[in-house]
Structures are given as C-alpha cells and as structure tokens.
Amino acid sequence: MREKRNKAAGRERSSGTGRKEAAEKRTGGSRMTRPEKMRVTGRETDLRDDLQEISAGLIVGRNPVAEALRSGRTVEKIFLLRGGEGSLKKIEGEARDRHIPIRYLERRALDRIADGENHQGVAAAVAGFEYCDVDDILKKAEDQGEDPFLILLDGIEDPHNLGAIIRTADAAGAHGVVITKHRSAGVTAAAEKTAAGAAAYVPVARVTNIVQTTKYLQERGIWTAAADMDGTPYSRTDLKGPLALVIGGEGRGVSRLEKETCDFCISIPMRGGVNSLNASNAAAVLMYEVLRQRGIQ
C-alpha cells in the first residue's frame, strides 16, 4: 500500500496537479500567469489605447506616411520605432513642425500596431480616407487643361492590386480612379502602403454602380474601353482623347454587362503559356499605352 501511495504521489507531481490543480479548480481554470498579468498593465494598456485610437484609419510605411504629411492630410498621431534613423528622422521632424503627437515604440509593439504590414519603422493614425465624386476627377482634368483620363475598377478585391493601380495611375498621369462600394477593396492601410504615397495625390471616387457611372461618363463625351482578352489589341486602337479605361476584377475580369456598356474592348497580346496578366500589371501596360499615344514625353 505504501508503495502504491508513493507512485500516486509521483504521478501527481509529474503531471503538475496537486496544489496548482486545486487552485485552478477554485478559479474555474482561469488562473493568470505572471506574464499574462504584465501584458494588461503599464505600457500594454497604453498600446491598447493606441489601437483604439487608430480605428478610424491607419497608414504604414515611410513613403505613405511622408506623403500624407507632405500633402496636408489630417494625421492624428505618429508611431515611430524607438531609435529609428534615416528617413524616420525626417518624418519625426515634419511631425514636430506640424505639432502632431509622436509615440515611440519598440519593434514588437509597432508590429502589433501595423497588424502584419511591413511598417518600415513608422505608422500613422489618420482620418479615414476621403473619397471624392466622379465630377471632382473631371474637374481636375479640366483645371489641368487635359482630356479626362480615368481608371474604372470593376470589382478589384485585393487591396495590394488597388494600391499598385493607384501608384501607376499617378505615374501615368491619370486624373483619378473609380472603385465600387460593394465587392471591391477600399483604400485601406494595405492599399496605401502598396501605393507608396500616391494615394495622397490620386483622387479616388467610390460609386454604387459601375455601369451607371460608365453611362454617365459617356454622356459627358468620354470614350470607355474595357480590358478584355477578346478585344482589339491595344496597339491597333485609338486611345487618344477623353478616355475611361475599365479594368476587371481578379479572376473574372470585366463583367458582361459592363463590357456591353463600354464603347469598345481592348486586349493585351499574350505570347506565353498563360493567357492573362495580373490586374494591376494589365492596368499598367494599358495606362502607359494611353500615355504613349497622347505623345506625352
């Protein structure tokens, strides 16, 4: 009997039962360890407050934050990597000049703020992205004395694709981008990070119905061209003059009704083993063809 009791006591010690198990039973199995207690006090409480503060909008990365500051966008707070150097110092200086609060964080805390995005040592809490109206884009073209050039996105769901298209739109001189309110990506932190600051300069309109918007643009004298593999090769299509270029969503492309509504369809010649490009790549090829045909050097 004594031998059995000794074996039982040994099993109890090796399996972590005994006093610890009894304590857990008294607290419903929810005992908080010392590290867990530390996570809800002190700096962690401050970080939790920061996470609540950025619920309206967040941009991450050096270029997006720098361009947001440069463009005069409303920035509520800057989160900087403690001890950061290089361009982080310039961002710090501009934030101080604009009297924007700066919070210095260790990398682990900044990783949490950025929620997995590559923050490059900086993030900013901003007012939510300000969308414009389609007429604002047309007004921009008018003010610049140029034929309108718009990019209409029919169901782009990947924010990285959206960001890449916004970045190319800025580089190619498009006057604005139009997205839909439903079943498409919005201008999120991920999109702004990929846009690398271009979202501060390219107006983005968000509409309920892309087909109705296409018809509205046609009424304003703007030609509409849908990117589609069955269309006429872009090099054999006149893309000069007022133009709205329609890019379809990942996988399904431009919807049937939108293609039927557009004035014509254009395609990109494909000579390899695949028959399509990524949406942002296709948009870039076509935008620069428009730029080439307009003779802008």
Side-chain angles (χ1 to χ4, degrees), residues 23 39 71 151-152 154 184 237 245 256:
R39 280 200 295 269
S71 67
I151 312 300
L152 274 59
D154 185 15
S184 66
T237 308
L245 179 63
R256 178 188 59 80

Side-chain angles (χ1 to χ4, degrees), residues 139-147 175:
K139 182 67 166 54
K140 179 183 178 182
E142 181 183 348
D143 290 344
Q144 294 178 352
E146 299 174 345
D147 288 328
H175 298 107

Side-chain angles (χ1 to χ4, degrees), residues 44-178:
E44 183 67 18
T45 303
D46 295 337
L47 182 58
R48 190 166 54 202
D49 292 340
D50 289 332
L51 290 169
Q52 292 174 351
E53 184 175 351
I54 64 176
S55 59
L58 177 75
I59 54 177
V60 299
R62 300 188 182 197
N63 280 342
V65 173
E67 294 300 343
L69 290 169
R70 201 167 296 135
S71 67
R73 183 171 179 181
T74 301
V75 178
E76 305 292 345
K77 182 180 283 189
I78 297 289
F79 303 95
L80 274 176
L81 179 66
R82 194 183 304 278
E85 298 292 339
S87 58
L88 293 180
K89 287 293 185 184
K90 291 183 63 176
I91 292 172
E92 180 184 27
E94 190 148 353
R96 288 188 183 281
D97 290 342
R98 289 184 53 187
H99 306 289
I100 297 171
I102 301 173
R103 178 99 146 83
Y104 298 94
L105 299 172
E106 302 299 334
R107 183 169 297 278
R108 185 174 179 181
L110 195 52
D111 289 343
R112 285 193 59 191
I113 290 284
D115 195 24
E117 291 295 322
N118 180 17
H119 52 71
Q120 299 174 310
V122 62
V126 297
F129 185 82
E130 295 183 8
Y131 295 97
C132 68
D133 295 325
V134 172
D135 284 336
D136 294 326
I137 298 176
L138 300 181
K139 182 67 166 54
K140 179 183 178 182
E142 181 183 348
D143 290 344
Q144 294 178 352
E146 299 174 345
D147 288 328
F149 179 26
L150 295 83
I151 312 300
L152 274 59
L153 304 182
D154 185 15
I156 295 291
E157 298 180 348
D158 185 343
H160 298 93
N161 272 337
L162 174 59
I165 290 170
I166 292 173
R167 184 174 186 176
T168 305
D170 178 58
H175 298 107
V177 173
V178 180

